[in-house]
Amino acid sequence: MKTPADNRPDWDTYFMNIATVVSSRGNCSRRQVGAVVVSDHRIISTGYNGTPRGIQNCFEGGCARCASAAASGSGLAECVCSHAEENAITQAAYHGVRTKDAVIYVTISPCLTCAKMIINAGITEVVYGGDYAFNDQTRALFAEAGVLCRKHNATCTSGCQH
């Protein structure tokens, strides 16, 4: 007989599901990404991708690069959108919340720039959903900094090992 506890998601699934909901707030016209920063199984910050605070939303024309026909991965130096990880980390800083030794859950793998921010924020673990720009340099940087980085197994149930 199943108990209510049998239906509870494991912590990774729980926080990844929340990151997916957070991504729905993303205002980038090209991609919606969500991030959740967690300490001791408690959410301390969230972030989604889009234009900076006070800037016209990307989907309203706030980012000329995203509104253009630029190919995916090109013209990134012209993009004014912030990544979800960046926004989650800066939101924590804005509100004076410590990120040292936290875990970040993000719906896609971090890029190199976000990896540097994650390391400098003192975050010690990254759990991500889909693959984005997760290259060998990013993996090596995390490894050298001692940041555990792992892909979430969406089919995982409570108590499984990764």
Side-chain angles (χ1 to χ4, degrees):
M1 175 180 222
K2 281 192 164 192
T3 67
D6 293 332
N7 294 322
R8 292 179 72 195
D10 61 89
W11 286 114
D12 283 350
T13 301
Y14 175 72
F15 290 122
M16 286 300 295
N17 287 344
I18 293 170
T20 299
V21 172
V22 170
S23 76
S24 70
R25 288 285 305 158
N27 72 60
C28 179
S29 60
R30 294 207 174 203
R31 181 184 323 267
Q32 290 186 304
V33 181
V36 176
V37 182
V38 174
S39 181
D40 296 321
H41 295 127
R42 183 175 60 86
I43 296 170
I44 59 173
S45 185
T46 64
Y48 49 83
N49 61 324
T51 52
R53 182 187 316 264
I55 304 301
Q56 184 179 26
N57 285 327
C58 178
F59 61 75
E60 297 170 328
C63 179
R65 184 262 173 195
C66 289
S68 75
S72 180
S74 68
L76 296 178
E78 303 302 315
C79 184
V80 299
C81 293
S82 298
H83 288 186
E85 303 94 322
E86 177 183 4
N87 279 329
I89 291 166
T90 57
Q91 269 298 99
Y94 184 84
H95 293 286
V97 177
R98 175 186 168 127
T99 56
K100 186 175 186 284
D101 298 324
V103 177
I104 190 167
Y105 291 84
V106 62
T107 56
I108 60 173
S109 56
C111 69
L112 180 60
T113 299
C114 286
K116 294 184 286 187
M117 292 183 74
I118 288 166
I119 292 165
N120 283 338
I123 294 171
T124 57
E125 186 173 359
V126 176
V127 181
Y128 65 95
D131 293 310
Y132 175 57
F134 201 38
N135 60 30
D136 291 339
Q137 185 179 23
T138 304
R139 289 181 194 279
L141 202 62
F142 277 142
E144 185 175 343
V147 174
L148 175 62
C149 190
R150 57 192 172 82
K151 188 169 186 175
H152 177 252
N153 179 357
T155 61
C156 177
T157 57
S158 184
C160 71
Q161 298 296 315
H162 294 277

